[in-house]
Amino acid sequence: MLDPFGRTISYLRVSVTDRCDFRCVYCMAEDMTFLPKAELLSLEELDRLCSTFIRMGVRKLRLTGGEPLVRRGIMTLIDSLGRHLNTGDLDELTLTTNGSQLEKYAALLAAAGVRRINVSLDTLQADKFTALTRWGKLDKVMAGLQAAKAAGLQIKINAVALRGINDNEFDDLIAWCGEEGFDLVLIEVMPMGEIGDAARLDQYLPLSMARAQIQRHWTLDETDYRTGGPARYYVVRETGRRLGFITPMTHNFCESCNRVRLTCTGTLYMCLGQNDAADLRTPLRQSENDALLEAAIREAIARKPKGHDFVIDRRQRTAAVPRHMSVTGG
């Protein structure tokens, strides 16, 4: 699949649920209203949609949420999608998780063919972790990470850089990831969804500042390593682990974008930072034949924009994109 700018679309991110057992302050309001369960695609419908994308050229599939592992019966879907790894039609099946359910699911994920996971973790301090996630417990996530290591999963830690909150922990995160054998990616906060009293302008930290701070204590060697996502990676010479930066605000990554995002209701977003979307649920349910669905996907890819235009502005206090990240998939 080629978009209007000649980019090959080979990466599909699927939000299997908008629900989460955390309420992270930069992601959700504490009193979130979630989608009615009746609006969600069934696991069988998600399987059919993902399989259609794979048939049309998607090589990497990432399951996200919300928190994907809180969806009832999720391993049924993951086990089923693993068949595309066995046939060679899919290069990688992975997921992004908050880690709360990993102790239960890590071995099952590995058995289904998952080899690599991203775990969102913004602080190593238990009290701060609970404050950031509102409902989360750090010891539960740490137990999940150890279970994932024991299952042989490669782990990448995703940390959102938050001014005045965790910007004094970057050294600790780098050292800890080095000790544990994890890669680390720092992410700029993005203006998506209303989050109550928290002000993103106050949270926002340009990663150029974070990198300058990190380089006072660590040696960052450039590398051409890529995972198919937007992160630009360095190797931390002192630990041998990778450190990535995702910079949607200060330096967007649109020129090489190979991704589209599918929600749990069957809505396809061609760009994380734009509101244009395509309804795939209707053609999915109109016919058991996939011809209508494939046509809808091609039409949507033909509308993929050149890039996003996130702005965080003190004069514009509302979110640049009204939907929450948990709806689109992180």
Side-chain angles (χ1 to χ4, degrees), residues 49-272:
L49 260 176
C50 291
S51 298
T52 300
F53 272 96
I54 292 167
R55 190 169 61 247
M56 295 176 71
V58 160
R59 302 294 305 180
K60 177 176 178 178
L61 184 62
R62 177 177 296 278
L63 304 183
T64 71
E67 168 49 47
L69 296 179
V70 301
R71 172 133 190 197
R72 187 184 301 274
I74 188 61
M75 284 310 307
T76 303
L77 175 63
I78 296 173
D79 285 335
S80 181
L81 291 172
R83 72 189 186 276
H84 299 297
L85 297 169
N86 297 330
T87 62
D89 294 327
L90 188 66
D91 294 331
E92 184 175 39
L93 173 62
T94 183
L95 78 157
T96 295
T97 173
N98 64 25
S100 68
Q101 307 297 315
L102 273 179
E103 193 171 14
K104 176 181 178 181
Y105 285 108
L108 296 172
L109 292 171
V114 174
R115 296 291 173 260
R116 192 169 63 89
I117 60 173
N118 291 359
V119 179
S120 301
L121 179 64
D122 303 319
T123 177
L124 299 174
Q125 299 177 24
D127 291 347
K128 190 185 294 185
F129 181 84
T130 298
L132 276 172
T133 62
R134 294 191 178 103
W135 296 1
K137 301 298 181 185
L138 183 61
D139 58 353
K140 189 173 183 181
V141 174
M142 290 299 182
L145 286 168
Q146 293 308 310
K149 280 181 68 175
L153 297 174
Q154 298 176 47
I155 297 166
K156 182 172 71 178
I157 301 296
N158 286 344
V160 176
L162 300 165
R163 183 191 296 274
I165 298 176
N166 67 352
D167 50 356
N168 63 345
E169 288 193 67
F170 297 151
D171 289 344
D172 292 340
L173 282 164
I174 291 169
W176 174 72
C177 285
E179 293 166 1
E180 294 289 343
F182 303 156
D183 289 342
L184 172 65
V185 171
L186 298 178
I187 307 170
E188 287 177 338
V189 68
M190 287 177 271
M192 295 188 66
E194 296 301 332
I195 54 173
D197 294 333
R200 284 200 181 84
L201 188 66
D202 299 327
Q203 297 173 345
Y204 173 58
L205 175 70
L207 287 189
S208 55
M209 294 176 61
R211 188 166 64 243
Q213 176 184 327
I214 289 166
Q215 286 177 307
R216 295 176 195 152
H217 303 110
W218 307 93
T219 309
L220 303 185
D221 295 326
E222 292 194 16
T223 175
D224 58 1
Y225 175 79
R226 294 288 184 272
T227 63
R232 289 174 167 84
Y233 285 93
Y234 298 81
V235 172
V236 181
R237 190 181 302 174
E238 291 81 359
T239 68
R241 302 306 307 182
R242 299 183 187 97
L243 173 63
F245 297 90
I246 296 180
T247 54
M249 304 299 300
T250 55
H251 177 83
N252 74 42
F253 33 75
C254 305
E255 68 277 358
S256 59
C257 183
N258 61 346
R259 299 171 292 288
V260 289
R261 287 172 165 83
L262 180 69
T263 75
C264 54
T265 62
T267 301
L268 184 71
Y269 286 97
M270 289 70 80
C271 175
L272 178 64

